[in-house]
Amino acid sequence: MSWDLATPFIIDLQVQAEDIDGFGHANNAAYVVWLERCAWRHSQRLGLDLAEYRRLDRAMAVGRHEIDYLASAYEGDELQLATWIVDCDQRLRMTRRFQLIRPSDGKTLLRAQTTFVCIELSSGKAKRLPAEFLEGYSPVVVTS
């Protein structure tokens, strides 16, 4: 696969009937669900799951999505979605990049970037990244 950056975290996806819109291709909202799924699975792999977020009373909440839809996906397509953490300011913000590829033809269907903000779950207010987040996320930051 021709990934944009080294050492991607990758999940496999298959486009389901419920992902398809009136135009016959995967709806843009399905892609956002896939981005969230990939980010969560990566966080879980790093030891930062929902239980840990709750224990720490912290979470990484989406502050901004930037998505470039480059080509369509269709029902039954087998896809691979990669993510990388490309920035962590060590205070409040972390940025992930994503790339979605259809392996059957090697085509990149989407590139995206999401900025996350650390929040306190109990108040919803922005709060500093706890040490556990820094220990889990910072070592896997990839620079381009």
Side-chain angles (χ1 to χ4, degrees):
M1 228 36 65
S2 182
W3 298 112
D4 291 341
L5 298 171
T7 63
F9 174 84
I10 301 166
I11 65 168
D12 295 317
L13 301 165
Q14 183 181 46
V15 182
Q16 304 297 314
E18 60 267 18
D19 299 323
I20 304 303
D21 63 18
F23 300 115
H25 54 69
N27 185 278
N28 62 300
Y31 291 87
V32 175
V33 170
W34 299 337
L35 296 177
E36 179 186 27
R37 185 179 305 159
C38 187
W40 263 117
R41 287 189 186 164
H42 189 219
S43 288
Q44 290 167 338
R45 174 73 52 89
L46 297 172
L48 296 165
D49 60 11
L50 190 55
E52 184 68 351
Y53 274 28
R54 287 182 178 144
R55 184 185 76 76
L56 295 167
D57 192 29
R58 295 289 188 280
M60 296 307 294
V62 172
R64 178 184 174 97
H65 281 303
E66 299 172 60
I67 303 172
D68 293 316
Y69 298 97
L70 306 171
S72 297
Y74 300 94
E75 187 175 350
D77 277 355
E78 301 281 344
L79 308 174
Q80 289 191 315
L81 180 58
T83 190
W84 303 264
I85 297 172
V86 296
D87 186 44
C88 182
D89 71 4
Q90 307 290 307
R91 294 182 308 276
L92 292 173
R93 289 183 175 71
M94 179 178 75
T95 304
R96 283 184 177 277
R97 281 182 50 188
F98 299 89
Q99 182 183 5
L100 181 66
I101 291 180
R102 183 173 43 228
S104 65
D105 61 6
K107 188 154 192 76
T108 294
L109 308 181
L110 169 143
R111 284 190 176 89
Q113 181 167 295
T114 301
T115 302
F116 293 87
V117 177
C118 186
I119 62 165
E120 183 178 59
L121 286 170
S122 58
S123 70
K125 295 181 180 180
K127 294 287 182 177
R128 283 188 75 89
L129 291 153
E132 292 88 344
F133 281 22
L134 293 173
E135 292 164 7
Y137 292 125
S138 295
V140 297
V141 172
V142 175
T143 56
S144 30

